Amino acid sequence: ALATPAVAQANPEVRWRAASSFPRVFDVLYGTFEKVAARVAQLTEGKFRIQTFPAGEIVGGLQVLDAVQAGTIEAGHTASYYYIGKEPGFAPFTAMCFGLNTRQLTSWYRYGGGNQLAAELLNEYNIHGITCGDTGAQMGGWFRNEITSVEQLRGLKFRITGLAGQLFTRLGAAPTLIAPADIYPSLERGVIDAAEFVGPHDDERANYVRVARYYYAPGFWEPGARLHFMSNMRAWNALPDQYKHALEVACAEADADMVARYDFMNPQALRRLVAAGAQLRFWPRPVLEAAWKANEEMNADLARGNPRFAKIMESYTRFRTEQFQWFRIAENSYDNFAFSAAQTVR
Amino acid sequence: ALATPAVAQANPEVRWRAASSFPRVFDVLYGTFEKVAARVAQLTEGKFRIQTFPAGEIVGGLQVLDAVQAGTIEAGHTASYYYIGKEPGFAPFTAMCFGLNTRQLTSWYRYGGGNQLAAELLNEYNIHGITCGDTGAQMGGWFRNEITSVEQLRGLKFRITGLAGQLFTRLGAAPTLIAPADIYPSLERGVIDAAEFVGPHDDERANYVRVARYYYAPGFWEPGARLHFMSNMRAWNALPDQYKHALEVACAEADADMVARYDFMNPQALRRLVAAGAQLRFWPRPVLEAAWKANEEMNADLARGNPRFAKIMESYTRFRTEQFQWFRIAENSYDNFAFSAAQTVR
């Protein structure tokens, strides 16, 4: 049956200020935020305008959640794992070591309970969150020397953030937190031995290849990294329903679009990086196995001390078990043959 | 700078009738169509209403393109490869044997030129197309007997559609076109030896496991199958811009959502199918290699006789080469370790 015609309503003009955790130079990260704002304007005939600001202009890149919580700004585009200092339970909403890949993470959010669990946590911070873009599986970073064994991780001064830093501590490394702008000179002067960032497209701009040429794959601690569009809860609740829907669907489009853009850019960047001297390496299997075991132990330790982390990880891990089993059947068996067939079938 | 306030316009009430190529029983396929219609209504305050019809109610499942072209209905949700009888160039816009997987296909559409190439073709049929949902990598179908060699494909009466049918002819099989409702009895009576459909969730409903228990992976001819929302060009052009944006973004959401729903449903269905007696089998490598070679030959033959197919495939194949190389580095090396680590790392 067709609906009765909608009552004509004059929706209000709404202006939001919104801050990104990323500077403009990372054009896929920041560009996704701009695309969301542009889409929302299109969908509301220009009545709902979100003015976007790069990291540092009105809010520091790692203060986005705090500013949205306080209502200093109405919204932001950020990664929840920047805030694990407040609560380790923020980690799985961006990326977990040996966790769900990009497609699996979308399924967990939409159908496996992820969105509800994220809402429970974010609501306590006075925030309404919507997933908004993903990087795809990241690279494992730039190393001044080859890593051929677990032993070589011992004492390694590795720029890496978040729970992955804690994981590398368990593997004997010495993770350090260095602001992005300081990574290059620190590698050059040998203050650090290695640094991980994102993937070829973003890494190329930082030019790490000139000071640390071993480029490792994969970034097993970020098999996908999901961003969130976070809105101050009062600002969100004040929106007309149509504007809420516009923001939701623009962010859903970002979940499809951002990784598609990375998938387009990364192969080109990687080719240039290899031409510039990057030495591609895969992690030795003993390193992956040691990391897998250390990660299982770390997550168990975190869960013992934190019922919320335990609850989130119970859902996440159950979902992961099912996804990993199923993906081996059709997706992965296809990928394994097809990706190499052009080289191997004669 | 903030825009000047939009001029208030009373957007018109628009009612469309739109037909799916899928019956209601395939709830993810048909449900995606319903979700798009519901989202468009939300985004337009109920002013743009798309009334959805399952296959066969107002238009036959394989006549959707024709009905939209003629303007009998304003729109439809269908797979372009149903129309390869008109033009083989329709095939790559849904799925190609050994082609791009779901994520790669999204990147080709958005950044690799796919959308422009699809528009060139569809515009000749008086149609505006938007990608709208994907199945993920499909399964290879149900077989009454095990397939352990290429030789066993000879004479095999295999229910399979489209270019993949032509491929299996080259491999010596006898592909047959049978309507979905006739597959089960045909398998039961031995009129056919095998049949492929989609994946565990949809295949379970058809209950093929009772009459052909060998379930092969992967469906290398559908490493993802993309659907399109097709609009009659005159109807599309008559839409206010806001309604066009609403339809575009609702379909983009479907590109993220549909495969996420399949990823959630398929593992559960597969578990039940195995419990019901399904025997999971991977294709023997010689079958995959023979199919790869036959496919390369088939595509070359088709391109020789058809400049349009050649043009589309030139773009598609160049993109595939880049994607397959890049995905081996981060995504696939991650997947290969992580998906099996829980079983293999002790």
Side-chain angles (χ1 to χ4, degrees):
Chain A
L2 295 175
T4 48
V7 177
Q9 285 178 312
N11 271 331
E13 305 268 334
V14 174
R15 296 284 177 276
W16 277 14
R17 295 193 322 152
S20 172
S21 284
F22 312 102
R24 202 181 287 278
V25 62
F26 300 118
D27 59 345
V28 180
L29 293 163
Y30 187 70
T32 295
F33 192 32
E34 293 182 304
K35 279 190 179 194
V36 166
R39 189 56 112 174
V40 165
Q42 282 180 337
L43 291 169
T44 60
E45 299 182 288
K47 288 186 183 171
F48 181 15
R49 292 269 173 187
I50 299 168
Q51 191 179 6
T52 64
F53 296 91
E57 284 204 4
I58 57 172
V59 171
L62 304 181
Q63 274 73 54
V64 170
L65 181 143
D66 298 77
V68 174
Q69 180 183 9
T72 314
I73 51 178
E74 283 83 7
H77 191 221
T78 188
S80 65
Y81 71 176
Y82 291 149
Y83 311 101
I84 57 168
K86 302 175 191 291
E87 164 59 59
F90 276 119
F93 298 115
T94 307
M96 284 302 272
C97 185
F98 296 118
L100 300 167
N101 70 16
T102 298
R103 210 172 97 181
Q104 295 162 345
L105 196 57
T106 301
S107 188
W108 181 60
Y109 269 114
R110 289 184 167 261
Y111 294 98
N115 274 326
Q116 290 82 345
L117 289 164
E120 277 179 29
L121 178 55
L122 288 169
N123 291 355
E124 291 182 21
Y125 291 81
N126 195 32
I127 284 172
H128 179 272
I130 312 175
T131 67
C132 190
D134 199 287
T135 61
Q138 299 191 5
M139 289 292 285
W142 300 86
F143 292 71
R144 285 160 53 93
N145 297 299
E146 264 191 286
I147 303 293
T148 55
S149 70
V150 180
E151 288 65 37
Q152 281 177 276
L153 295 175
R154 207 153 290 155
L156 187 88
K157 295 190 283 293
F158 186 18
R159 189 269 175 190
I160 187 170
T161 54
L163 282 187
Q166 298 179 32
L167 176 70
F168 272 87
T169 300
R170 286 174 181 250
L171 292 170
T176 62
L177 256 178
I178 289 179
D182 297 328
I183 296 176
Y184 184 96
S186 300
L187 279 171
E188 192 175 29
R189 286 181 285 116
V191 175
I192 57 175
D193 305 306
E196 65 93 34
F197 195 55
V198 182
H201 176 66
D202 292 326
D203 290 3
E204 185 185 24
R205 301 180 174 229
N207 218 4
Y208 302 134
V209 64
R210 295 186 58 178
V211 286
R213 67 197 188 114
Y214 294 100
Y215 196 23
Y216 273 83
F220 52 81
W221 50 92
E222 302 202 47
R226 188 62 44 107
L227 306 181
H228 273 81
F229 190 101
M230 297 188 182
S231 304
N232 175 273
M233 191 61 83
R234 195 148 26 106
W236 170 262
N237 286 335
L239 291 177
D241 281 348
Q242 189 205 355
Y243 296 7
K244 290 180 181 170
H245 297 311
L247 195 47
E248 279 170 4
V249 75
C251 290
E253 181 175 40
D255 275 345
D257 186 75
M258 187 170 122
V259 70
R261 193 165 167 198
Y262 269 120
D263 287 341
F264 174 67
M265 305 299 277
N266 278 330
Q268 306 169 30
L270 185 63
R271 203 165 41 234
R272 289 188 298 266
L273 286 167
V274 169
Q279 299 286 315
L280 270 181
R281 292 289 183 276
F282 292 101
W283 292 109
R285 190 167 173 97
V287 170
L288 293 174
E289 293 189 348
W292 176 277
K293 286 184 213 166
N295 183 59
E296 296 285 303
E297 290 164 13
M298 180 178 78
N299 288 339
D301 288 347
L302 285 167
R304 254 191 299 282
N306 184 330
R308 182 200 299 284
F309 184 81
K311 179 183 175 185
I312 296 166
M313 286 307 291
E314 194 278 321
S315 163
Y316 186 95
T317 305
R318 189 162 28 82
F319 199 81
R320 186 184 73 160
T321 301
E322 243 183 27
Q323 293 293 304
F324 280 11
Q325 286 173 357
W326 157 238
F327 266 64
R328 290 181 73 186
I329 308 301
E331 291 290 337
N332 192 238
S333 73
Y334 175 77
D335 290 351
N336 280 343
F337 177 78
F339 290 178
S340 62
Q343 279 80 52
T344 59
V345 179
R346 288 286 172 267
Chain B
L2 295 175
T4 48
V7 177
Q9 286 179 311
N11 271 330
E13 306 267 335
V14 174
R15 296 284 178 277
W16 278 13
R17 297 194 319 154
S20 172
S21 284
F22 312 102
R24 202 181 287 276
V25 62
F26 300 118
D27 59 345
V28 180
L29 293 163
Y30 188 70
T32 295
F33 192 33
E34 292 182 304
K35 280 190 177 194
V36 166
R39 190 55 113 172
V40 165
Q42 283 180 335
L43 291 169
T44 60
E45 300 182 288
K47 287 187 183 169
F48 181 15
R49 292 270 172 187
I50 299 167
Q51 191 180 4
T52 64
F53 296 91
E57 284 204 5
I58 58 172
V59 170
L62 303 182
Q63 274 74 53
V64 170
L65 181 144
D66 298 78
V68 174
Q69 181 183 8
T72 314
I73 51 179
E74 283 82 7
H77 192 221
T78 187
S80 65
Y81 71 176
Y82 291 150
Y83 312 101
I84 56 168
K86 302 175 192 292
E87 164 59 60
F90 276 118
F93 298 114
T94 307
M96 283 303 273
C97 183
F98 296 118
L100 300 166
N101 70 16
T102 297
R103 210 172 98 181
Q104 295 164 343
L105 196 57
T106 301
S107 188
W108 181 61
Y109 269 114
R110 289 182 168 261
Y111 294 97
N115 274 326
Q116 291 82 343
L117 289 164
E120 278 180 28
L121 178 55
L122 288 170
N123 291 355
E124 292 182 21
Y125 292 81
N126 196 32
I127 284 173
H128 180 272
I130 311 174
T131 67
C132 189
D134 199 288
T135 61
Q138 298 191 5
M139 289 292 285
W142 301 87
F143 291 71
R144 286 161 53 93
N145 297 298
E146 263 191 288
I147 304 292
T148 56
S149 70
V150 181
E151 288 65 39
Q152 279 176 277
L153 295 175
R154 207 152 291 155
L156 187 88
K157 295 191 283 293
F158 186 18
R159 189 269 176 191
I160 187 169
T161 54
L163 282 187
Q166 298 179 32
L167 176 71
F168 272 87
T169 300
R170 285 173 182 249
L171 293 170
T176 62
L177 256 179
I178 289 179
D182 296 329
I183 296 176
Y184 185 95
S186 299
L187 279 172
E188 191 175 29
R189 286 181 285 116
V191 175
I192 57 175
D193 305 306
E196 66 92 36
F197 196 55
V198 182
H201 176 67
D202 292 325
D203 290 3
E204 185 185 25
R205 301 182 173 229
N207 217 4
Y208 302 134
V209 64
R210 294 187 56 178
V211 286
R213 67 198 188 113
Y214 294 100
Y215 196 24
Y216 273 83
F220 52 82
W221 50 93
E222 302 202 47
R226 188 61 45 105
L227 306 182
H228 273 80
F229 191 101
M230 296 187 183
S231 303
N232 176 273
M233 190 60 81
R234 195 149 24 108
W236 170 262
N237 286 334
L239 291 178
D241 281 349
Q242 190 205 356
Y243 297 7
K244 289 180 183 172
H245 296 312
L247 195 47
E248 278 170 6
V249 75
C251 291
E253 181 175 41
D255 275 346
D257 186 75
M258 187 171 123
V259 70
R261 193 166 167 197
Y262 269 120
D263 287 341
F264 175 67
M265 304 299 278
N266 277 329
Q268 307 169 29
L270 185 63
R271 205 166 40 236
R272 289 189 297 266
L273 286 168
V274 168
Q279 300 287 314
L280 269 181
R281 292 290 184 277
F282 291 102
W283 291 108
R285 189 167 174 97
V287 169
L288 294 175
E289 294 189 347
W292 176 276
K293 287 184 214 167
N295 183 60
E296 296 285 303
E297 291 164 10
M298 181 178 78
N299 288 338
D301 289 347
L302 284 167
R304 254 191 299 281
N306 185 329
R308 181 199 301 283
F309 184 80
K311 179 184 175 185
I312 296 166
M313 287 307 290
E314 194 279 321
S315 163
Y316 186 95
T317 305
R318 189 163 26 83
F319 199 81
R320 186 184 74 161
T321 300
E322 241 180 31
Q323 293 293 303
F324 280 11
Q325 286 173 358
W326 158 239
F327 266 63
R328 291 180 73 184
I329 308 301
E331 291 290 336
N332 192 237
S333 73
Y334 175 78
D335 290 351
N336 280 342
F337 177 79
F339 291 177
S340 62
Q343 280 79 51
T344 59
V345 179
R346 288 285 170 267

